[in-house]
Amino acid sequence: MAISRLVLGNWKEANEKTNGDVEDKPNQLKVCDMWQDIQGANHLNAMLDPINQLLKAEILRYGDFAQQCYDSFDNTPSSTYYGNCKRSKSSLAQRLELLNCGRGYQVTKYIYANTSLLDSIFGEESSEGVAWIGYIAICTDPDEIKRLGRRDIVVAWRGTQTPFEWMRNLRDILVPVMPSKATTCSNIQTISNPDARIEKVFSVVIRPPTRTLLDASLVQGTLLWIMVNEYGVSSIPVKVFSFASPRVGNPSFAQHMEEIGVNVLRVVNHKDLVPKVPGIFFNEKLGWLTRLLHWLPWAYVHVGVEISIDSSRSAILKDMHNPANFHNLEVYLHALDGFQGNNKLPFKPSGRDPALVNKHSDLFD
C-alpha cells in the first residue's frame, strides 16, 4: 500500500514515464507498480486529466474483454445457435490470447440473460428464452499474474442486442434491491439502505444448476450485486470499467455502492443517448434536488467516476448520422484511444487499429 500511495502522489511523473510500451523499458512504472490505483484504491480523478497512460491501457484492455461478448454472440435469427456464444470456452480463451488482452486467462463460466417477455408482462421469473451475454475469465498464468501484480478475475458482458432485450429495457420501473426468491446464494448481504432501488430489468438474479442466468441485457447493477454478495468486497476488491451504461438505480442505490466499496469508472461517449437514460428529468445533474426526491419512480443517478469522450473529434471516422453508432463499443474504444484527458486536448491515438470500428458498421475508409 505504501507503493500505491507513492505512485498516486507522483502520478504526473508516472504519466510521463508510461508513453509507449512500458514493459520493454527498464526503470519505468508498470501495471504491477500501481494496480491498486488503477483499480480505484485511491481517487481516480487525479489520474484523468491528463489521463494516466497505464490507466488508459488497462481500460482499453478490459474494453476488449467486453468487445468479445459482441463478437462471439450469435445474433442471426435464422441461425441454429441464435442467442448463444459462437465459441467454446477454450476457443474464446484463445481469442483473448490472440488479441493480447487476456494472456494466460481461462474462461471458466458463461453468463446468460432472461430475454423472455412473459415475466416482463406477468412479473414471473422464467428460465426460458435465455441468451448468452458474457463470461467469467480468470488469470492463471504466473507471468501475467506477476505483470498485473495480482490474480485477475474478469466478469465481462455485452449490452442490448436482440429485439426482446430492447423491449425489456422499456420497463422504466424502480423496484427495491432484494435478492430473488429463486437465488441459491447462501451469503446474500442485507442491504443497509431500504430506500435503495434499481430498474426492474436489472433486479432479478436466477441461478439454475447448470447455468448462470441473469434477468438483464445490460446489467451493471445486477452484476455488481452478484460480485458484492457472492464474493464480498471486504476480501476481493471489485472494480467496474463500464462502457455506455445507462443509469441503473436511484440515489440510495448509488450511495450503497459507495458504502460497500465498489469502485466504478464509467466511459461515456458525449453523443451517446443510452447513458442519458433513464432519469431524463431527475438525475445526478440536479444534485441535492434529486437526492431530496429519491422516492420518485423516475429519480436515477449514475454510480462512480465518469470519463467523457467524444468520438466526433476523430478525423478518420465518417460523419455518424445514425445515433446507434455513437453507442458502438469499438467506436468507444477508438475514441478512448485518442483521449488525452479532456476534450480540449488534441485527439491523439496511441496505436489501436482504427479499422476495428468497421466490425459492425461502415465508419472508417
Side-chain angles (χ1 to χ4, degrees):
M1 183 59 102
I3 293 177
S4 178
R5 287 196 295 267
L6 176 63
V7 169
L8 186 62
N10 296 281
W11 73 270
K12 288 187 178 180
E13 179 183 352
N15 195 44
E16 294 171 356
K17 290 184 177 181
T18 53
N19 290 318
D21 188 356
V22 298
E23 305 299 334
D24 295 333
K25 298 178 181 180
N27 303 320
Q28 292 191 343
L29 289 170
K30 301 179 181 180
V31 173
C32 61
D33 298 322
M34 55 185 304
W35 73 266
Q36 291 167 314
D37 294 306
I38 291 172
Q39 295 292 319
N42 296 287
H43 295 295
L44 278 175
N45 286 319
M47 302 175 68
L48 298 181
D49 193 12
I51 191 169
N52 179 277
Q53 295 301 307
L54 274 178
L55 172 62
K56 183 168 78 169
E58 281 294 277
I59 301 173
L60 288 169
R61 188 173 73 89
Y62 287 115
D64 279 326
F65 275 100
Q67 181 59 47
Q68 285 311 298
C69 296
Y70 293 95
D71 294 346
S72 300
F73 178 59
D74 190 338
N75 195 24
T76 305
S78 60
S79 171
T80 303
Y81 303 102
Y82 175 60
N84 289 287
C85 182
K86 295 184 287 188
R87 305 178 187 276
S88 67
K89 293 183 180 70
S90 60
S91 175
L92 181 55
Q94 292 174 2
R95 177 69 176 172
L96 296 173
E97 182 92 24
L98 180 65
L99 293 172
N100 211 31
C101 66
R103 290 180 291 177
Y105 283 76
Q106 289 186 359
V107 177
T108 61
K109 183 170 288 190
Y110 280 169
I111 304 172
Y112 295 83
N114 191 342
T115 60
S116 171
L117 290 181
L118 293 178
D119 63 309
S120 299
I121 300 171
F122 299 107
E124 299 176 354
E125 297 167 5
S126 170
S127 60
E128 302 298 328
V130 301
W132 182 83
I133 65 167
Y135 58 94
I136 298 174
I138 300 176
C139 185
T140 58
D141 180 72
D143 291 336
E144 185 67 359
I145 292 173
K146 181 179 179 180
R147 187 187 75 84
L148 295 173
R150 84 282 181 193
R151 190 183 189 198
D152 195 28
I153 301 174
V154 176
V155 182
W157 68 95
R158 63 174 176 82
T160 305
Q161 289 283 281
T162 69
F164 281 172
E165 291 170 358
W166 282 110
M167 293 176 69
R168 290 176 65 86
N169 284 354
L170 296 177
R171 298 185 302 171
D172 183 6
I173 303 173
L174 282 167
V175 296
V177 178
M178 294 293 290
S180 166
K181 63 183 180 182
T183 191
T184 60
C185 304
S186 60
N187 57 341
I188 292 292
Q189 298 176 359
T190 301
I191 192 165
S192 60
N193 192 332
D195 294 327
R197 284 170 168 73
I198 56 178
E199 188 174 355
K200 182 174 176 60
V201 74
F202 302 142
S203 65
V204 181
V205 180
I206 308 175
R207 299 184 55 83
T210 59
R211 282 184 171 181
T212 298
L213 175 61
L214 307 181
D215 178 19
S217 51
L218 181 61
V219 201
Q220 174 178 302
T222 301
L223 283 177
L224 287 180
W225 188 247
I226 288 176
M227 293 298 290
V228 169
N229 289 299
E230 288 202 28
Y231 301 109
V233 294
S234 60
S235 58
I236 299 179
V238 178
K239 177 67 182 181
V240 177
F241 293 100
S242 170
F243 300 85
S245 174
R247 296 185 180 96
V248 170
N250 68 351
S252 296
F253 172 75
Q255 180 182 349
H256 178 67
M257 289 295 101
E258 294 175 2
E259 290 174 350
I260 60 180
V262 178
N263 293 294
V264 180
L265 180 62
R266 294 180 297 102
V267 183
V268 175
N269 194 356
H270 176 63
K271 294 185 178 180
D272 185 4
L273 298 178
V274 173
K276 296 178 172 59
V277 297
I280 297 175
F281 302 107
F282 296 98
N283 54 60
E284 66 282 346
K285 294 181 181 179
L286 295 180
W288 66 269
L289 181 59
T290 298
R291 292 192 295 272
L292 180 65
L293 300 175
H294 66 88
W295 51 270
L296 289 174
W298 315 284
Y300 288 81
V301 297
H302 276 302
V303 179
V305 177
E306 178 180 304
I307 293 180
S308 179
I309 58 176
D310 187 355
S311 59
S312 63
R313 300 186 71 239
S314 172
I316 66 172
L317 295 182
K318 298 176 181 178
D319 290 337
M320 291 187 279
H321 303 292
N322 184 352
N325 288 330
F326 292 107
H327 190 60
N328 183 314
L329 181 54
E330 282 292 1
V331 171
Y332 262 77
L333 297 177
H334 170 68
L336 179 63
D337 185 47
F339 179 76
Q340 296 301 305
N342 64 60
N343 291 320
K344 295 181 181 178
L345 295 173
F347 188 88
K348 187 179 179 181
S350 57
R352 183 180 179 82
D353 187 354
L356 290 171
V357 300
N358 276 359
K359 281 182 180 179
H360 306 288
S361 58
D362 182 21
L363 297 175
F364 173 66
D365 288 323

